[in-house]
Amino acid sequence: MPAAHLIAFDADDTLWSTQPHFDQVEARLLEIIAHCGEPAHLTEQLNAVQRRNMQLFGYGAKSFMLSMIETAIQLTDGAVTGHDIQQIIDLGKDLLRYPIEPLPGVVEVLTELRRRGHRLLVLTKGDLLDQESKLARSGLGDLFDHVEIVSEKDEATYQRLLSRHAARPEYFVMIGNSLKSDIIPVARLGFRAVHVPYHANWIFERVEPEQLAGLDFHTVQDLREVLDYLL
Amino acid sequence: MPAAHLIAFDADDTLWSTQPHFDQVEARLLEIIAHCGEPAHLTEQLNAVQRRNMQLFGYGAKSFMLSMIETAIQLTDGAVTGHDIQQIIDLGKDLLRYPIEPLPGVVEVLTELRRRGHRLLVLTKGDLLDQESKLARSGLGDLFDHVEIVSEKDEATYQRLLSRHAARPEYFVMIGNSLKSDIIPVARLGFRAVHVPYHANWIFERVEPEQLAGLDFHTVQDLREVLDYLL
């Protein structure tokens, strides 16, 4: 890899952990509305509300807060108290300000890729301000040349990205934990993608095995293996 | 103006109307919580909650929904019903999908500026997905070369913008209705700004007259006057 590449990193659950924090908040919501049914039923309702709202609300903590509130209203037939809803809002606010720690190997890998002369980019979807704030809290901001926060990571997004940053496909690499957002659209375009699985997965990012059929991409168990792969 | 310029347009209340829709929703909220006090007091509370949340939530309809919900909880000491909160959420959802009509003169001005060979850019702050959706609903998308949705429009944002789009300061113009976001930071940098006042102003965008002291910018009463100004 002699030429300078444009290397894009997903943020949530690639650079720092996110899903476990959302899972904790969801667990607290289930406690608040525990009197409304079995946990599996409550989760199912929450997912149904989220699925319905996603097109209008997009991704991120504020969307999640609003969907949690709607779920609590629906499951209690409107009897949920203002006190409980305030608790839900406060849980959501914590999601917008928890301390961000880079995952193991992140600083090392970014520093080394920069040293080798590559351009590094964060490519993330979600709330604009929240994603910017997480990057700032992570302390990783200075290691990146560019930050792109988008509403969706699909093939059109990746094509726009390459054109905007004047990157040739053969000198582009996407690295991330989400098969749906970081790997499949990139591999479909014939660009290089590196999958770094994370132990927690968001239900709306899960993919069926057949969606991977015919696609080429590389998988590492630890982000640090990227350094050898991109040698 | 012989050389191709980069001409940036604010979106909300410059390309299409937004504030009146938020004002209508706020009026409906005041009806829902009318039993909690005088309208002036309720508005004051809502503004206080919004001010407190803004740093965490950012701008846009979802932030507004969450602040309306918190206001209703606080003003009723938690006695607001789930039914009322669902009404607030539904009002907020309408803010995310109302039909977008370009303001008078917008299509004419954009079309003519393109014809003259200028690069046109939308520069807006707010919810990422919501702003993209409004641009799509407006039918104006194809008239713009670039779309930039940012979390704040301050001097740093404008400097980044010029560098990103390789625009020289003397070939850049910002056009918008907000003195705070579209005019002051641009004029402070010594770049060209054109103020197109709109009849409705968001309280958090209001500026004191002394903030304009010493700044140069151009004001038009109708967007179409921009064509003569930029001749």
Side-chain angles (χ1 to χ4, degrees):
Chain A
M1 193 180 189
H5 282 53
L6 178 67
I7 307 182
F9 285 83
D10 169 54
D12 293 334
D13 297 326
T14 297
L15 299 178
W16 51 71
S17 102
T18 303
Q19 191 56 41
H21 298 271
F22 276 75
D23 289 343
Q24 271 171 33
V25 166
E26 183 172 326
R28 285 283 300 119
L29 171 71
L30 298 195
E31 284 169 28
I32 293 170
I33 53 173
H35 58 287
C36 298
E38 291 302 308
H41 172 65
L42 306 181
T43 298
E44 203 179 285
Q45 278 295 114
L46 175 62
N47 290 344
V49 171
Q50 282 192 88
R51 191 172 294 116
R52 229 173 18 241
N53 285 339
M54 204 160 290
Q55 222 187 335
L56 206 54
F57 290 169
Y59 301 102
K62 284 182 291 183
S63 309
F64 187 52
M65 288 159 85
L66 289 164
S67 288
M68 286 195 293
I69 294 169
E70 271 206 285
T71 305
I73 294 170
Q74 288 178 13
L75 282 170
T76 60
D77 281 326
V80 61
T81 66
H83 174 77
D84 285 345
I85 289 179
Q86 186 63 52
Q87 268 196 281
I88 295 171
I89 293 177
D90 292 340
L91 288 168
K93 285 185 178 177
D94 288 340
L95 279 180
L96 291 166
R97 58 189 168 200
Y98 66 90
I100 300 288
E101 285 281 334
L103 286 169
V106 164
V107 172
E108 179 187 334
V109 167
L110 297 177
T111 306
E112 173 60 19
L113 292 174
R114 272 185 80 82
R115 203 192 56 76
R116 295 185 195 171
H118 300 301
R119 277 194 292 164
L120 306 187
L121 181 150
V122 182
L123 175 65
T124 173
K125 64 187 186 188
D127 273 340
L128 198 52
L129 182 65
D130 184 28
Q131 298 303 86
E132 286 177 359
S133 162
K134 280 191 278 193
L135 185 61
R137 273 139 62 210
S138 76
L140 298 173
D142 289 344
L143 293 171
F144 287 97
D145 300 284
H146 312 283
V147 180
E148 295 279 356
I149 303 168
V150 296
S151 60
E152 195 60 85
K153 284 156 95 171
D154 52 19
E155 292 178 42
T157 303
Y158 287 100
Q159 277 172 318
R160 250 195 340 261
L161 190 80
L162 262 70
S163 136
R164 174 173 224 168
H165 293 281
R168 283 160 58 185
E170 61 271 35
Y171 295 139
F172 174 73
V173 185
M174 177 69 205
I175 300 174
N177 77 299
S178 167
L179 287 169
K180 174 169 172 280
S181 300
D182 304 321
I183 306 302
I184 291 177
V186 178
R188 274 208 193 122
L189 289 165
F191 305 164
R192 197 142 49 135
V194 180
H195 186 218
V196 192
Y198 190 66
H199 63 84
N201 281 301
W202 192 32
I203 185 169
F204 295 105
E205 293 286 306
R206 286 181 199 153
V207 301
E208 299 300 325
E210 54 266 32
Q211 291 179 257
L212 300 176
L215 295 180
D216 278 332
F217 60 92
H218 187 72
T219 301
V220 296
Q221 285 311 313
D222 183 302
L223 188 68
R224 280 164 281 221
E225 296 166 36
V226 161
L227 291 177
D228 288 332
Y229 173 69
L230 294 180
L231 209 59
Chain B
M1 193 181 188
H5 281 54
L6 177 67
I7 307 182
F9 286 82
D10 169 54
D12 292 336
D13 297 326
T14 298
L15 300 178
W16 51 70
S17 100
T18 303
Q19 192 55 42
H21 297 271
F22 276 75
D23 289 344
Q24 271 171 34
V25 166
E26 182 171 327
R28 284 282 301 119
L29 170 71
L30 298 196
E31 284 168 30
I32 293 170
I33 54 173
H35 58 285
C36 298
E38 291 303 309
H41 172 64
L42 306 181
T43 298
E44 203 178 285
Q45 279 295 114
L46 175 62
N47 290 344
V49 172
Q50 282 192 88
R51 192 172 295 117
R52 228 172 20 239
N53 284 339
M54 204 159 291
Q55 223 188 334
L56 207 54
F57 290 168
Y59 301 102
K62 285 182 290 182
S63 308
F64 188 51
M65 288 159 83
L66 288 165
S67 287
M68 287 195 293
I69 294 169
E70 271 206 284
T71 305
I73 294 170
Q74 287 178 12
L75 283 169
T76 60
D77 281 326
V80 61
T81 66
H83 174 78
D84 285 345
I85 290 179
Q86 186 63 52
Q87 268 196 280
I88 295 171
I89 293 177
D90 291 341
L91 287 169
K93 285 185 178 178
D94 288 340
L95 279 180
L96 292 166
R97 58 188 168 201
Y98 66 89
I100 299 288
E101 285 281 334
L103 286 170
V106 164
V107 173
E108 179 187 334
V109 167
L110 297 177
T111 307
E112 174 59 18
L113 292 174
R114 271 185 81 81
R115 202 192 57 75
R116 295 185 194 172
H118 300 301
R119 276 193 293 163
L120 305 187
L121 181 148
V122 182
L123 175 64
T124 174
K125 64 187 185 187
D127 272 339
L128 197 53
L129 182 65
D130 184 28
Q131 296 305 85
E132 287 177 0
S133 162
K134 280 191 277 193
L135 184 62
R137 272 139 63 209
S138 75
L140 298 172
D142 289 344
L143 293 170
F144 287 98
D145 301 284
H146 312 282
V147 180
E148 294 279 357
I149 304 168
V150 297
S151 61
E152 196 60 85
K153 285 156 95 171
D154 52 19
E155 292 178 44
T157 304
Y158 287 100
Q159 278 173 318
R160 247 192 346 258
L161 190 80
L162 261 69
S163 136
R164 175 172 222 167
H165 294 279
R168 283 160 56 186
E170 61 271 35
Y171 294 140
F172 174 73
V173 186
M174 176 70 203
I175 300 174
N177 76 299
S178 167
L179 287 168
K180 174 169 173 279
S181 301
D182 304 320
I183 306 302
I184 292 177
V186 178
R188 274 208 194 124
L189 288 165
F191 303 164
R192 198 142 48 135
V194 181
H195 186 219
V196 192
Y198 190 67
H199 64 84
N201 283 302
W202 190 33
I203 185 170
F204 295 105
E205 293 287 306
R206 286 180 201 154
V207 300
E208 298 301 323
E210 53 266 31
Q211 290 179 258
L212 301 175
L215 295 180
D216 278 332
F217 60 92
H218 187 72
T219 302
V220 296
Q221 286 311 312
D222 184 302
L223 187 68
R224 280 164 282 221
E225 296 167 37
V226 161
L227 292 177
D228 287 334
Y229 174 68
L230 293 180
L231 209 59

